[in-house]
Amino acid sequence: MSNLVTLAASVDGRPTLEQVDAMLAELRQMPRNQFVTELIDDLLDYRGLLDHRSKQAS
């Protein structure tokens, strides 16, 4: 959990695609409970938006 907190604290503004991927990698290693599952779901939704926007900009 401390790596996840460090990653989240290092974000200045909105997280980049790479930062979201790093957070998801940390969350995948954690035991699954409702809180972790909801965080993963929310980050995947946000990642989808970032990915969509990056493809539109290309």
Side-chain angles (χ1 to χ4, degrees), residues 14-17 20-21 23-24 27-28 36-54:
R14 293 185 177 139
T16 65
L17 196 57
V20 171
D21 287 344
M23 289 181 216
L24 285 167
L27 285 168
R28 284 187 192 106
V36 171
T37 302
E38 288 174 3
L39 278 174
I40 290 171
D41 287 346
D42 290 345
L43 280 171
L44 287 171
D45 287 344
Y46 182 73
R47 189 188 189 290
L49 293 172
L50 285 176
D51 190 44
H52 180 72
R53 289 183 70 189
S54 69

Side-chain angles (χ1 to χ4, degrees), residues 1-11:
M1 181 73 135
S2 65
N3 288 341
L4 182 60
V5 172
T6 302
L7 284 168
S10 70
V11 173

